[in-house]
Amino acid sequence: MSLKITVLGATGMAGSRITDEAVSRGHVVTAVARHHDAQAPARDGLHRVTADAAGDDLPLGADVVVSALPARVALPLLPALVAGAAGRRLLFVGGAGSLRLPNGERVIDQPGFREEWKPEASAHVELLDALRALPEDVDWTFLSPSALFLPGERTGTFRLGGDDLLAEADGTSRISAEDYAVALLDEIETPAHRRRRFTVGY
C-alpha cells in the first residue's frame, strides 16, 4: 500500500537515504529541506519542498512524518510536530548515545566518547525522554543507529534490537545509512515498535 510520507531534513545523510528508499518502494514522499539541489532530476512520487524546519509552514499532512533533523533542531520543534501531525505516525532518526553497553552503562557516558559529539548526543537523549513522556495517543517511534553510522552499501541484511547497542563478534558496532533507511521503512510499512525506541546494526 502506498503511503504519503513527509521527510524533514530530507537532504541530510539519513534523510536522503530514507527519501530514496521510500520512493523506491512506491510511496509518495514530500521531501522537506532548507535547500535542494537545483539540478536534481524530477522523480515520480517525490515532491521537494523548501522550508525552514523552525517555521510554522511545515507540510505535516501525511500518513507518516519522519524527522531526520538534528536532535537539537527536532527537540524544540516537538510540540509543533505532535500538534501538526496529530493522528499520524511520527518517526525520529535517533542517536546511539543512549544505548546501553553490556555493563549497563550508556554509550554517551564512556570515557572515550568524543566531546564534540556530546551536544548532539545529549539532545538525542533529551528527545527520547521527551517522547517517552508524551500522552499515550501520540504514535511515535525512535530508531537509534549503531555506533558507526556512515554512508555505505544497501545489503538489506541486519539485526534489530531494543535499548542495547548491537555489535559484531569483533566488537564493531555499525550500520550503513542505506540499511538504516531499509529498517526505518520496514517499520513504517509493518509497525512493530510503536511508542518505543529500537536499534539496528550488523
Side-chain angles (χ1 to χ4, degrees):
M1 180 180 68
S2 177
L3 298 171
K4 293 180 179 179
I5 302 173
T6 293
V7 179
L8 307 177
T11 57
M13 182 188 70
S16 61
R17 271 76 174 179
I18 292 165
T19 297
D20 289 345
E21 183 69 23
V23 171
S24 74
R25 297 189 187 202
H27 299 299
V28 177
V29 179
T30 299
V32 183
R34 286 183 178 180
H35 306 286
H36 288 278
D37 181 358
Q39 306 302 316
R43 298 163 62 189
D44 290 342
L46 176 61
H47 307 285
R48 296 184 179 92
V49 174
T50 301
D52 187 338
D56 57 3
D57 57 346
L58 291 176
L60 302 178
D63 300 308
V64 179
V65 176
V66 178
S67 170
L69 299 166
R72 285 175 287 180
V73 176
L75 186 58
L77 280 179
L78 186 58
L81 291 177
V82 170
R88 301 174 176 87
R89 287 198 75 193
L90 287 169
L91 287 94
F92 293 83
V93 173
S98 59
L99 292 168
R100 292 193 304 252
L101 296 169
N103 63 7
E105 297 179 355
R106 300 182 305 176
V107 173
I108 192 174
D109 297 324
Q110 301 312 296
F113 197 87
R114 295 184 183 178
E115 287 297 323
E116 62 266 30
W117 295 348
K118 285 189 176 180
E120 180 64 12
S122 297
H124 275 296
V125 172
E126 291 183 52
L127 178 58
L128 179 57
D129 287 344
L131 290 171
R132 286 171 168 165
L134 289 173
E136 292 187 3
D137 60 344
V138 181
D139 190 357
W140 61 268
T141 298
F142 184 99
L143 177 53
S144 288
S146 290
L148 297 178
F149 183 33
L150 299 168
E153 182 182 359
R154 184 192 187 282
T155 70
T157 302
F158 44 76
R159 294 180 293 151
L160 301 180
D163 291 320
D164 297 321
L165 184 73
L166 295 174
E168 298 173 81
D170 65 358
T172 302
S173 174
R174 64 188 180 92
I175 190 69
S176 72
E178 287 76 7
D179 276 339
Y180 178 97
V182 174
L184 189 137
L185 263 295
D186 288 349
E187 173 65 25
I188 288 174
E189 294 177 347
T190 308
H193 302 90
R194 292 184 184 274
R195 291 188 54 79
R196 290 168 56 195
R197 182 261 291 280
F198 73 111
T199 188
V200 56
Y202 295 126

